[in-house]
Amino acid sequence: MDLPRIVSVDDHVIEPAHLFDTWLPAKYRERGPKPLTAGIGELAYVGGRYRFTTDPEGEPTDWWEYEGNLFPYKRVIAAVGFDRDAMTLEGITRADMRPGCWDPGERLKDMDVGHVEASLCFPTFPRFCGQTFAEAADKEVALACVRAYNDWMVQEWCGDSGGRLIPLCLIPLWDVRLAVAEIERNAARGVRAVTFSELPTHLGLPSIHTGYWDPFFAACQDTGTVVCMHIGSSSQMPAASPDAPPAVQATLSFNNAMASLADFLFSGVLVRFPRLKLAYSEGQMGWIPYALERADDVWREHRAWGGVRDLVPEPPSGYYYRQVFCCFFRDKHGVASLDAVGRDNATFETDYPHVDSTWPHTRQVALDHVRGLDDVTVHKILRGNAIRMLGLDLACGPDGAGA
């Protein structure tokens, strides 16, 4: 089967050590993030959060230091090139990573190996929606860091890629007015994607039900900016027993996306902003058919006492099919349920360079999932839906095809 080149809507970038020295205004650099290499001690993942210690005699690790806090890079988030059993919770330096993790030219080469034409990359040190800066004490510096990251993302990471690296920007989560200004600033230079928290209340922020975020949603709608929400962008992962191994959180990770989708379907946000587009990243899609069935059933049977009779005038699934995108990389159940998931709603990802990444076998993984589907559907879920979602101009791409 001749597969079209893939447009991946969820990959990741390891920030280069020079990012803030280069892009942060000089007056903020002393108070901004600083790179260092130092030994790491114990590193564990407990209850959906990382815990670590430093150790001068430990494994050399690249870190960021910011406001007295340390942020290590871990092998599991720069896992490509390692054997599966070597993808552990150890510290890692950029020198030990595959260069495509942080070098845009090398990333393009690895994308070619993976049959990928274009890629949208989430941040690492800032965390998936910029929580690192939202938690900072000095918000003046934090705002400068958000803008510096976005400038680096647009001009350096994506700038010379010929449109193959797609910019994904941050907002200052702590101030919706500043968030709107940053959406507009980046949209003016062609950015069409912003990362946001799947469950903002977990970050101590207002919920989407309060109306607080409406100016942000309005700005995204008006500029055609897609609101991208990665699992874990609430700084929490679903957990069962507090002492369960990390494999439990990994298995349950889709729960965050499911909770967030239910929030949006019953919030009225998609009613008030009918051209707003949401994208759920790394949540897979096999859960979506039942989530929509249940939401519609609740709307039909429980809308009066459930508080949504006047807020959501139509069955919730209709808003999903009109405005929401999901993505997958290993989800044969989801593909088997594609009519319910939505042939116009499903997109593909590679998760490079995380431990879950399909690289360098992405083409084969994609083929295993789409074999038996018609050519139009294959084109939609591997590239066409992503091109439409993000408003990409890939008509002159390597395979000579656009949306």
Side-chain angles (χ1 to χ4, degrees):
M1 185 177 185
D2 186 21
L3 287 185
R5 291 284 288 273
I6 293 163
V7 176
S8 174
V9 298
D10 173 36
D11 295 312
H12 301 266
V13 60
I14 304 297
E15 295 80 17
H18 69 260
L19 193 160
F20 295 101
D21 281 343
T22 301
W23 293 97
L24 194 62
K27 67 178 181 178
Y28 297 119
R29 287 177 195 159
E30 186 58 34
R31 292 179 287 161
K34 298 177 181 62
L36 71 150
T37 302
I40 195 168
E42 180 185 3
L43 180 59
Y45 187 70
V46 181
R49 293 179 178 271
Y50 288 104
R51 297 178 183 174
F52 56 85
T53 59
T54 58
D55 182 354
E57 304 300 320
E59 186 75 20
T61 299
D62 277 346
W63 310 66
W64 289 97
E65 185 278 324
Y66 179 46
E67 290 198 337
N69 298 310
L70 291 173
F71 303 82
Y73 283 125
K74 301 162 286 290
R75 188 177 289 188
V76 292
I77 54 92
V80 291
F82 289 96
D83 178 82
R84 180 62 58 184
D85 289 331
M87 296 178 181
T88 59
L89 282 176
E90 295 180 48
I92 191 171
T93 65
R94 292 179 187 83
D96 292 325
M97 299 175 191
R98 191 169 180 85
C101 293
W102 49 269
D103 181 283
E106 293 298 318
R107 175 64 66 93
L108 293 175
K109 294 177 185 177
D110 282 353
M111 287 164 58
D112 289 338
V113 171
H115 200 67
V116 173
E117 179 178 358
S119 168
L120 183 79
C121 292
F122 282 82
T124 301
F125 160 64
R127 313 215 307 272
F128 291 145
C129 66
Q131 301 102 298
T132 297
F133 302 127
E135 294 168 0
D138 189 331
K139 289 299 192 288
E140 180 183 2
V141 176
L143 177 60
C145 287
V146 167
R147 290 173 172 166
Y149 178 92
N150 291 340
D151 291 344
W152 164 81
M153 166 62 64
V154 174
Q155 298 179 55
E156 183 177 327
W157 178 251
C158 300
D160 294 328
S161 70
R164 295 186 64 192
L165 293 172
I166 306 160
L168 175 64
C169 286
L170 306 175
I171 56 168
L173 289 163
W174 59 92
D175 188 320
V176 71
R177 295 168 300 173
L178 294 175
V180 168
E182 193 62 12
I183 289 292
E184 293 172 344
R185 182 177 82 96
N186 291 309
R189 51 183 174 176
V191 176
R192 293 295 178 266
V194 64
T195 178
F196 185 64
S197 177
E198 62 206 350
L199 297 166
T201 57
H202 288 184
L203 304 179
L205 299 170
S207 83
I208 63 170
H209 302 279
T210 63
Y212 174 84
W213 296 105
D214 279 8
F216 166 69
F217 295 135
C220 290
Q221 174 176 261
D222 292 345
T223 58
T225 300
V226 183
V227 179
C228 300
M229 293 173 285
H230 197 284
I231 55 167
S233 57
S234 56
S235 294
Q236 295 184 26
M237 294 294 282
S241 304
D243 56 348
V248 174
Q249 284 93 48
T251 301
L252 296 175
S253 60
F254 72 92
N255 274 272
N256 279 9
M258 184 166 61
S260 177
L261 178 61
D263 232 12
F264 271 99
L265 291 180
F266 286 114
S267 68
V269 168
L270 300 179
V271 180
R272 295 193 298 276
F273 303 102
R275 292 179 288 107
L276 179 68
K277 291 183 283 188
L278 309 179
Y280 285 98
S281 304
E282 207 172 316
Q284 308 297 342
M285 61 186 190
W287 53 271
I288 290 175
Y290 177 69
L292 296 179
E293 179 184 344
R294 178 60 181 164
D296 282 356
D297 188 60
V298 167
W299 181 86
R300 282 190 300 268
E301 306 296 335
H302 307 286
R303 62 179 177 266
W305 76 267
V308 295
R309 181 182 57 195
D310 301 320
L311 189 63
V312 183
E314 299 175 9
S317 63
Y319 302 104
Y320 164 83
Y321 290 121
R322 185 179 72 187
Q323 294 174 251
V324 181
F325 294 82
C326 59
C327 71
F328 75 101
F329 54 97
R330 289 190 184 92
D331 189 346
K332 291 186 177 180
H333 181 74
V335 173
S337 307
L338 198 55
D339 284 332
V341 168
R343 292 176 185 246
D344 293 322
N345 303 81
T347 62
F348 196 73
E349 62 166 292
T350 81
D351 200 30
Y352 182 111
H354 281 189
V355 66
D356 246 338
S357 179
T358 57
W359 191 90
H361 309 296
T362 301
R363 186 184 185 282
Q364 187 58 49
V365 171
L367 182 60
D368 288 345
H369 280 73
V370 304
R371 188 181 280 111
L373 298 177
D374 63 89
D375 289 347
V376 171
T377 299
V378 171
H379 193 276
K380 281 184 176 184
I381 65 178
L382 293 187
R383 65 181 280 119
N385 289 341
I387 291 172
R388 178 170 53 87
M389 177 180 86
L390 294 163
L392 303 178
D393 181 11
L394 293 180
C396 299
D399 66 353

